[in-house]
Amino acid sequence: MKKVSGWFVAAGAVVALLVGGALGYFAPHPQSQAQVPAEFQKVLDTYNAIDSSYYKKVSEKKLAQGAISGMVDSLDDPYSVYLQNNDASSLNTQISGSFGGIGATMRQSSDGVYVDTTNAGSAAQKAGIKAGDKIVSVDGKSMAKKDINAVVSQVRGKIGTKVQVGISRGGKQQTFTMTRAKVTVPSMSGTIDKAHKQIGIITFTTFTDSSAKEMKQVVKKLRKQGAKKFVLDLRGNPGGVLDQAMKIDSMFLKNGKTIVQVKQRGQNAEVYKAGKKYDDGFKIKEPTVVLIDGNSASASEITAAALNQSAGIPLIGTKSFGKGTVQTIAGMNNKSELKLTIAKWLTPNGTWINHKGIQPTIKADYPKYAYLQAIGADSLNAGATGKDVKTLQSMLTAVGQKTAVSGTYDDATTAAVKAFQSAHQLSATGKADANTIVAIEAALTAKIAQNDNAMKAAVKKLQ
């Protein structure tokens, strides 16, 4: 499942931010020495004291970075961040929706990181990497105890550079050398509902620089497949690029209807309205509903509010995250950037939803078991106690092997594990080994998909 919080959210979630758009990128304003506030003389005095008297030599660059980080931290704003090196590169990757990589998607399991799929024609596919391969090393560095984010960051890199990926397959290890190429990650996907062929479901993961273009392509494809109604699934979508959200929102609104209001310090709110400027005349007039949850933030909330307040489109799900600020980026140099909050955004009717979120028109949620966290242990045995055991017991109960959720791996838990193993063609040992944990998590994911109450409510509303 990609749309549920907890372990079942896809790894590597995009940072919630709004950049670009009408506000654009900005550059810090240089000031002469005479303009520097008197309070900053203390900063210079501290630097001079450290530089002249500290017992060992300290890097000027390190001191400068520390001062910048300290200033940004003092804002007490989680969305204003000084980014350096890999963090800055990662942010740019998230905005553009593309990066240098080998063209393979990965999944986290209890015993490591595995290849999930390889893209057609990708470096990974050409080299011979296959789905199910376990990543054991990257450029000679062991990945045995690394999580999926750490592995992905090692595999990605500058386009045209080489990377060595070691894998384990069938008990044997192999190493593949590949050249990183440009990989583009779609920000959305579209499918036809299996039971209701006239309903197209558009699932957003984020808003990148190409989202508006993708939206047009997805809608056209779904229309050709027979879609006459749409579900926009914004659950788990943390936001993204402002101008792309406005372009997509404009597609659903009559020209002249308000998309969003943006208020910068000391200024009146600027109102952005739907029109050809944003949507190039491409309109979506089919009946539509929008799905939101507690992880729908930023640009997702702008979209939800715009479609609801300016087009009367119903919102289904749970209260959204509540991020009502706008960020943009200043390039400090080629390896660091300042992501800074520069404005509030308001819904079409002038509401600031920061820390409050948006309430759905129709409340509907996943079952409680959808929010279980992952089992952290590689395996669990009879006699074990603790949080992981309690999670295992909750998962077993959810997939039909009922047992008390006590946190103790007792005889009843052993029996439930054996029953699950027998039903899924696994060796019925009663021990929750790595393969058993993976199978239980997969069974739970499937059950969550079957009991997506918000999606059911959306389909019912459209019918």
Side-chain angles (χ1 to χ4, degrees):
M1 288 298 296
K2 293 193 292 183
K3 307 305 293 183
V4 189
S5 63
W7 182 83
F8 294 94
V9 176
V14 175
V15 176
L17 74 155
L18 297 174
V19 295
L23 297 174
Y25 287 74
F26 75 98
H29 296 292
Q31 291 185 310
S32 68
Q33 186 68 27
Q35 292 175 301
V36 174
E39 284 295 317
F40 273 77
Q41 186 60 46
K42 297 176 183 178
V43 178
L44 297 175
D45 290 343
T46 301
Y47 165 74
N48 288 328
I50 293 172
D51 184 54
S52 63
S53 304
Y54 190 62
Y55 81 100
K56 63 180 180 179
K57 182 68 176 176
V58 180
S59 163
E60 291 181 358
K61 181 179 179 181
K62 186 176 180 179
L63 290 173
Q65 289 174 343
I68 296 169
S69 295
M71 280 190 285
V72 176
D73 289 345
S74 73
L75 299 174
D76 196 24
D77 175 9
Y79 306 113
S80 292
V81 187
Y82 177 54
L83 301 167
Q84 303 177 62
N85 303 320
N86 291 340
D87 289 336
S89 298
S90 177
L91 177 60
N92 293 329
T93 291
Q94 292 157 9
I95 294 168
S96 67
S98 63
F99 54 88
I102 62 173
T105 60
M106 301 179 191
R107 59 179 171 84
Q108 180 81 59
S109 183
S110 57
D111 66 333
V113 177
Y114 288 80
V115 175
D116 195 32
T117 61
T118 56
N119 299 342
S122 66
Q125 187 186 66
K126 290 176 181 178
I129 287 181
K130 298 180 180 180
D133 288 346
K134 182 179 180 180
I135 307 295
V136 295
S137 67
V138 178
D139 287 335
K141 299 177 182 177
S142 173
M143 296 290 113
K145 296 183 179 180
K146 304 291 185 181
D147 66 14
I148 190 168
N149 293 319
V151 174
V152 168
S153 68
Q154 291 295 315
V155 172
R156 290 182 182 180
K158 187 176 179 180
I159 294 171
T161 59
K162 292 188 180 297
V163 60
Q164 287 187 330
V165 178
I167 62 97
S168 176
R169 180 191 303 161
K172 297 181 180 179
Q173 293 193 7
Q174 303 176 59
T175 300
F176 299 91
T177 300
M178 293 159 282
T179 300
R180 295 182 178 99
K182 182 178 180 179
V183 178
T184 300
V185 181
S187 63
M188 68 189 72
S189 61
T191 58
I192 294 292
D193 186 82
K194 292 180 181 179
H196 306 87
K197 302 298 183 182
Q198 291 189 330
I199 296 177
I201 300 170
I202 304 173
T203 303
F204 284 70
T205 54
T206 183
F207 290 81
T208 68
D209 283 337
S210 63
S211 288
K213 180 180 178 181
E214 290 179 46
M215 186 68 176
K216 292 180 182 178
Q217 294 171 342
V218 168
V219 169
K220 288 178 180 179
K221 182 193 76 171
L222 291 175
R223 283 172 173 168
K224 286 183 179 179
Q225 293 176 352
K228 298 184 184 301
K229 304 173 183 179
F230 293 110
V231 176
L232 266 60
D233 194 347
L234 298 176
R235 293 175 295 175
N237 185 323
V241 185
L242 174 58
D243 75 320
Q244 296 297 303
M246 292 196 293
K247 288 178 180 180
I248 290 171
D249 299 348
S250 184
M251 297 176 192
F252 290 90
L253 306 183
K254 291 181 180 179
N255 290 345
K257 289 289 187 179
T258 298
I259 301 171
V260 68
Q261 302 183 48
V262 177
K263 190 177 189 307
Q264 293 181 272
R265 185 177 69 191
Q267 299 181 22
N268 293 327
E270 185 168 0
V271 180
Y272 296 88
K273 297 185 177 182
K276 194 172 182 179
K277 171 184 177 181
Y278 294 109
D279 57 42
D280 293 325
F282 183 85
K283 293 293 187 180
I284 302 169
K285 298 180 180 180
E286 291 90 341
T288 300
V289 296
V290 175
L291 301 184
I292 58 172
D293 69 2
N295 291 314
S296 301
S298 197
S300 293
E301 293 174 297
I302 286 177
T303 297
L307 271 57
N308 178 246
Q309 294 181 9
S310 292
I313 290 174
L315 306 179
I316 298 175
T318 58
K319 182 169 71 77
S320 67
F321 181 82
K323 180 181 179 291
T325 56
V326 179
Q327 285 70 45
T328 192
I329 298 171
M332 308 295 280
N333 57 42
N334 62 349
K335 289 187 178 181
S336 64
E337 294 173 339
L338 176 62
K339 181 161 74 80
L340 188 67
T341 298
I342 60 168
K344 299 177 179 180
W345 69 264
L346 311 175
T347 68
N349 68 12
T351 301
W352 193 36
I353 59 94
N354 206 47
H355 301 309
K356 299 175 184 176
I358 300 170
Q359 291 290 348
T361 311
I362 301 171
K363 290 186 177 181
D365 198 3
Y366 287 102
K368 289 183 179 180
Y369 54 73
Y371 296 94
L372 291 170
Q373 297 297 315
I375 295 172
D378 291 336
S379 64
L380 294 167
N381 297 305
T385 60
K387 183 179 177 181
D388 280 340
V389 175
K390 186 175 286 189
T391 301
L392 172 67
Q393 292 166 334
S394 297
M395 288 183 177
L396 286 166
T397 299
V399 299
Q401 303 297 337
K402 292 186 178 180
T403 184
V405 182
S406 63
T408 299
Y409 203 124
D410 53 17
D411 291 342
T413 304
T414 300
V417 171
K418 282 185 177 180
F420 178 87
Q421 290 169 328
S422 296
H424 291 79
Q425 291 75 53
L426 298 169
S427 179
T429 62
K431 174 185 176 181
D433 57 13
N435 289 335
T436 300
I437 291 173
V438 169
I440 292 171
E441 289 171 343
L444 184 60
T445 299
K447 184 159 185 180
I448 292 168
Q450 294 167 3
N451 292 278
D452 187 344
N453 297 324
M455 186 63 73
K456 289 179 181 178
V459 171
K460 183 178 180 181
K461 183 69 176 177
L462 288 174
Q463 286 181 295

